[in-house]
Amino acid sequence: MSLSHRDARHEALAELSCFRGEFYSCLTARSDALFELADAVLCGDGPVRSLAELSLVGESRRGHGGLYAAVARGGVDTARMRRALAGVPLPRAADGRLVLAVDVTCWLRPDAHTSPERILCHTYGRGKDQHIPVPGWPYSIVCALEPGRSSWTAPLDALRLSPGDDTATVTARQLRELIDRLITAGQWHDGDRDILVIADAGYDAPRLAHLLRDLPVQVLARMRSDRVLRRAAPARQPGTMGRPPRHGGEFVFGQDHTWGTPDVTTVTDTRLYGTATARSWDRLHPKLTHRSSWATDDGTLPIIEGTVIRLDIDHLPSGATPKPVWLWWSGTDATPADTDRLWQAYLRRFDIEHTFRLFKQTLGWTSPKIRTPEAADRWTWLILAAYTQLRLARPLAADLRRPWEKPAPPERLTPARVRRDFRHIRPKTTCPASAPKPSRPGPGRPPGRKNTRPTPRHDVHTVRKTDTAKPKTKKSTTPRPRRTG
């Protein structure tokens, strides 16, 4: 082993030990049980199925009752945990900027009638355009993305959406607080490139850019194919009477005769998608309506200009017919290099789906049958801390591959492969949890006595419609374009 490689391993081990010590300090109640519970998640032989099975992992020295009690009545200093996640080394794009992806994933709880604050979550059915609402707890998660194809991300924050929350407002507040923590932690300095925030079509990109306009942030998001934007208002001719126009001509996504000549056109040959053609049009904005979320102090509606990018590819790896992708970027005057960088950065947004799948299928984020949303929040922070330890252990892990798996270099190990070797890495790091004290279980309810205090049941939060609402009409097969923001 070379000296530089040995120094790199020593530095990675020190970074991992530092984070484990800080993670333990964030646990304010039942800290030993919660810390060993996270170690059990990392050192298990297979996917996590339940909290009771984690008590059988050798790294967890508590019984199953103690683990459930730790999740139900433990304590996590979330503010300190958020600062700890913002202080670890983060991946950066090729140009050195931070790229953040934000998305909502749901912890589905359809049969948990005694769990409060459940919301109807949007899920996809097996058929085309079959969207099934299922009760659950939606979480808004922000991750830092790595450059290139990878299944790794760096989760930085998780926030459960409460009933009645506006997703755009909550996400803007979440991003604002996260960026403040990143600046405080030294992840961004004056003179650095703006942080790029990437979102999917479920977010209102112009509104998100408007709410974050005072921060060093650029917003890139996909737009629906039925949107209509406006060009800049034409120059006012001398002698023209009347109020000056605020909007120019329409740019209808579904009508190519309204597009005009693109400002930038790039053609790139890719391995997965064939020829990728990107065209961009500068200084397009949505026509806003009079809503309280848009109106400024003087009552006027802002003009939020940005760049629209249309991406066309030859084919998809699955063989399905590709559809054009429309993107909106909060910046203007995009160069050909900016256009290529933006659509390639958007494709990296799908790496967050790998993280969600690992949370649910391997680390068992949604496996425990937890009753209260507060306990769900504690378990969520434990999963984020466990994943961060996997990411910091990447330079230390050996490739314990299955006989049917291909060898992978250390820098290409997936999170699941790093988890296989974490049991051998853990003894070399800081383990601040103390040994459990002997105790006896409580007497419980006497035999034959009924439960006189049943758990209250809670309804699923739904948006109530007024009596004056219009009756439902059959959905049109040719919907009209959306001409307002």
Side-chain angles (χ1 to χ4, degrees):
M1 183 184 298
S2 62
L3 183 60
S4 59
H5 184 62
R6 188 182 300 111
D7 293 341
R9 289 182 59 88
H10 180 72
E11 182 180 354
L13 187 61
E15 188 70 35
L16 176 59
S17 297
C18 180
F19 178 78
R20 285 171 61 84
E22 183 65 19
F23 168 51
Y24 182 79
S25 301
C26 296
L27 307 176
T28 58
R30 299 180 182 265
S31 55
D32 295 334
L34 290 175
F35 187 84
E36 290 190 353
L37 181 58
D39 279 354
V41 171
L42 292 170
C43 298
D45 293 329
V48 176
R49 301 301 183 191
S50 67
L51 293 182
E53 292 183 359
L54 289 178
S55 65
L56 303 178
V57 179
E59 286 71 15
S60 176
R61 297 174 290 181
R62 271 77 180 173
H64 62 277
L67 297 186
Y68 275 103
V71 175
R73 296 186 293 274
V76 179
D77 188 349
T78 56
R80 186 169 182 175
M81 177 68 74
R82 287 186 169 102
R83 292 194 298 269
L85 293 177
V88 298
L90 298 179
R92 297 178 181 270
D95 57 357
R97 76 173 73 228
L98 283 172
V99 181
L100 306 179
V102 58
D103 202 356
V104 174
T105 184
C106 300
W107 184 340
L108 300 181
R109 301 285 283 144
D111 299 326
H113 302 290
T114 59
S115 296
E117 300 186 16
R118 292 183 301 158
I119 305 175
L120 288 179
C121 302
H122 177 86
T123 60
Y124 290 95
R126 293 184 178 273
K128 182 179 179 182
D129 295 334
Q130 291 184 357
H131 308 309
I132 306 173
V134 178
W137 292 315
Y139 279 83
S140 175
I141 297 181
V142 184
C143 297
L145 302 180
E146 292 195 353
R149 298 175 59 195
S150 174
S151 58
W152 288 94
T153 63
L156 297 175
D157 192 31
L159 181 64
R160 178 174 49 85
L161 301 180
S162 300
D165 283 347
D166 179 68
T167 304
T169 305
V170 172
T171 303
R173 184 175 67 250
Q174 182 185 20
L175 289 171
R176 177 178 297 276
E177 294 174 355
L178 172 59
I179 292 171
D180 290 340
R181 292 194 299 270
L182 293 175
I183 295 175
T184 304
Q187 303 285 2
W188 187 91
H189 303 87
D190 291 335
D192 292 348
R193 298 179 183 273
D194 289 345
I195 300 173
L196 182 62
V197 176
I198 304 178
D200 205 8
Y203 292 88
D204 190 347
R207 184 182 175 190
L208 197 60
H210 178 68
L211 295 175
L212 301 176
R213 61 190 181 278
D214 58 330
L215 296 176
V217 168
Q218 294 179 356
V219 177
L220 174 67
R222 183 171 67 91
M223 277 191 166
R224 292 166 53 98
S225 59
D226 60 350
R227 292 298 299 268
V228 177
L229 300 183
R230 295 297 188 99
R231 291 183 168 86
R236 186 175 178 84
Q237 299 297 328
T240 305
M241 304 296 291
R243 182 179 180 181
R246 304 190 69 221
H247 311 285
E250 290 186 341
F251 185 96
V252 186
F253 286 8
Q255 301 175 7
D256 54 0
H257 66 273
T258 63
W259 301 347
T261 304
D263 297 306
V264 174
T265 302
T266 63
V267 179
T268 307
D269 293 329
T270 63
R271 185 174 64 88
L272 292 178
Y273 309 107
T275 302
T277 304
R279 290 173 287 177
S280 67
W281 292 266
D282 194 26
R283 298 190 181 279
L284 297 176
H285 64 272
K287 182 180 179 181
L288 305 180
T289 56
H290 288 275
R291 294 184 296 179
S292 59
S293 58
W294 286 115
T296 57
D297 295 337
D298 57 356
T300 61
L301 297 176
I303 299 294
I304 308 173
E305 292 185 329
T307 301
V308 170
I309 301 174
R310 175 187 166 106
L311 175 64
D312 296 278
I313 59 176
D314 287 342
H315 55 80
L316 292 171
S318 61
T321 303
K323 296 182 180 180
V325 177
W326 291 94
L327 304 175
W328 187 88
W329 177 48
S330 59
T332 55
D333 301 326
T335 63
D338 290 334
T339 303
D340 280 340
R341 174 179 60 84
L342 290 171
W343 71 259
Q344 292 175 15
Y346 175 77
L347 295 183
R348 297 274 60 81
R349 190 206 72 85
F350 294 98
D351 294 342
I352 198 174
E353 303 296 339
H354 296 286
T355 301
F356 293 161
R357 184 165 57 250
L358 183 85
F359 281 179
K360 297 179 180 180
Q361 298 181 2
T362 303
L363 302 184
W365 175 46
T366 58
S367 295
K369 306 305 180 183
I370 295 176
R371 174 176 295 174
T372 63
E374 293 78 15
D377 293 342
R378 295 187 198 99
W379 176 246
T380 301
W381 283 110
L382 258 64
I383 295 299
L384 262 65
Y387 184 91
T388 303
Q389 294 181 58
L390 287 179
R391 192 171 62 86
L392 296 177
R394 289 174 65 183
L396 307 171
D399 185 13
L400 304 181
R401 64 186 181 92
R402 303 288 188 257
W404 55 85
E405 294 176 341
K406 296 181 180 179
E411 64 276 6
R412 297 297 300 174
L413 292 179
T414 62
R417 288 202 187 187
V418 174
R419 180 173 177 261
R420 294 174 190 170
D421 194 45
F422 194 86
R423 173 169 288 171
H424 305 96
I425 301 173
R426 176 181 173 272
K428 306 174 185 178
T429 64
T430 301
C431 297
S434 59
K437 299 178 181 179
S439 62
R440 294 181 180 180
R445 186 188 307 153
R449 178 174 298 181
K450 295 183 179 180
N451 183 14
T452 58
R453 293 183 299 176
T455 305
R457 301 169 70 90
H458 302 273
D459 295 331
V460 180
H461 173 76
T462 57
V463 179
R464 296 184 178 180
K465 297 182 179 180
T466 60
D467 298 335
T468 58
K470 296 181 179 180
K472 292 184 178 180
T473 58
K474 186 177 180 181
K475 185 177 180 181
S476 174
T477 57
T478 57
R480 297 177 59 185
R482 298 175 55 188
R483 284 182 159 79
T484 56

